[in-house]
Amino acid sequence: MAPTRNDDVDWDSWPVQDYLGENYRELHPSDAAVIAHHSAFYRRFAPGSAARSLEFGAGPNLYPLMLAAAASRRVDAVEASAAGVTYLTRQLEQAPDESWSPFYALCRRLNPGLPPTLPEALEAVRVVHGDLRALEPGMYDIASMNFVAEGVTEDFAEFTDFCHLFVRSVVPGGQLVAAFMENMPTYRIGPASRWPGCPVDPAVVTEVFAPLTERLAVTRIDADPALPDYGDSGMVLMTAVRRGV
């Protein structure tokens, strides 16, 4: 059977509320570990030093947007799913869900340069409804990607293509931070919906990113028993810099 590719999937029907309920209604240890990793990355930058940052496939996860706020004067949250865009837009235009408050408290504790409140942090965010493959290269100073490339296709070549698009979204010398589910198979969210997965591990992430980056650092954390068992074995975390031309 041919692998499911990104265009085979109806992303507009992504089950946002089921996904949030399973993963982000409370702060899990794995989230705290990702936030700690990403906070160390963002603390390298002076407040507001990045003119434009990118969240590559934002989904309904707000904590990567929180993390970017101290370093970035503008954050583009690019998302293909109409359901994801609707959720993000509501979070920005109305008060964010109260469940995000513990996430922001941890972000601020790890990076005191963040604004005092979550709504203030999200003021820099601009939701962009669009296909990641249509991004113009070299538009951003910093790009972040969390649980995207390995969860939108079963095709390893397409996974690689998405990762390379992510790298090329920043200027040469631009900064990259990412998190991946480790060894994520095709998975379910909620009672019925089925979504593609491309199993990757630290060696695969290193292989895919090494040709286009320098200062590549890849680590991992174990699976979190507090989260649903999607068949993954943990998370892979990465920072890198896009190679110069």
Side-chain angles (χ1 to χ4, degrees):
M1 181 182 295
T4 299
R5 293 174 57 83
N6 184 262
D7 287 341
D8 299 328
V9 178
D10 176 15
W11 294 107
D12 288 343
S13 67
W14 175 257
V16 167
Q17 293 305 322
D18 286 334
Y19 179 71
L20 291 169
E22 292 179 10
N23 292 278
Y24 295 119
R25 291 306 185 200
E26 60 183 273
L27 176 58
H28 296 290
S30 57
D31 301 314
V34 176
I35 289 170
H37 174 269
H38 287 16
S39 292
F41 167 82
Y42 281 109
R43 285 196 304 268
R44 301 176 191 171
F45 313 115
S49 58
R52 294 181 71 183
S53 294
L54 169 68
E55 187 59 33
F56 187 94
N61 182 1
L62 292 193
Y63 75 68
L65 303 175
M66 306 172 192
L67 289 160
S72 312
R73 300 196 294 277
R74 169 173 153 179
V75 182
D76 286 354
V78 180
E79 172 60 26
S81 165
V85 166
T86 297
Y87 178 79
L88 288 173
T89 301
R90 188 168 65 247
Q91 296 300 292
L92 299 183
E93 293 181 349
Q94 304 172 20
D97 293 346
E98 183 59 33
S99 54
W100 291 113
S101 295
F103 292 81
Y104 193 63
L106 177 59
C107 291
R108 269 207 91 209
R109 193 155 64 245
L110 293 171
N111 190 350
L114 286 167
T117 69
L118 176 53
E120 288 175 280
L122 296 178
E123 286 177 1
V125 177
R126 171 177 170 262
V127 180
V128 180
H129 189 186
D131 190 325
L132 294 165
R133 293 165 294 190
L135 284 173
E136 185 176 343
M139 291 291 291
Y140 296 95
D141 302 304
I142 300 172
S144 165
M145 176 173 69
N146 295 276
F147 318 120
V148 175
E150 79 284 16
V152 298
T153 183
E154 295 175 359
D155 186 319
F156 179 74
E158 190 171 40
F159 163 80
T160 301
D161 289 343
F162 272 109
C163 291
H164 289 181
L165 283 168
F166 168 62
V167 174
R168 294 187 178 107
S169 70
V170 297
V171 296
Q175 302 280 339
L176 303 160
V177 62
F180 305 84
M181 300 304 294
E182 184 183 62
N183 293 313
M184 173 76 101
T186 296
Y187 59 101
R188 291 187 181 277
I189 295 175
S193 67
R194 178 180 178 276
W195 304 92
C198 182
V200 302
D201 59 19
V204 167
V205 171
T206 300
E207 175 188 350
V208 167
F209 282 92
L212 301 182
T213 65
E214 53 195 23
R215 286 183 267 164
L216 177 63
V218 179
T219 58
R220 67 171 301 282
I221 58 176
D222 288 334
D224 186 341
L227 289 173
D229 182 4
Y230 294 119
D232 62 280
S233 57
M235 296 178 182
V236 180
L237 308 176
M238 184 211 82
T239 59
V241 174
R242 180 183 173 184
R243 288 191 190 276
V245 176

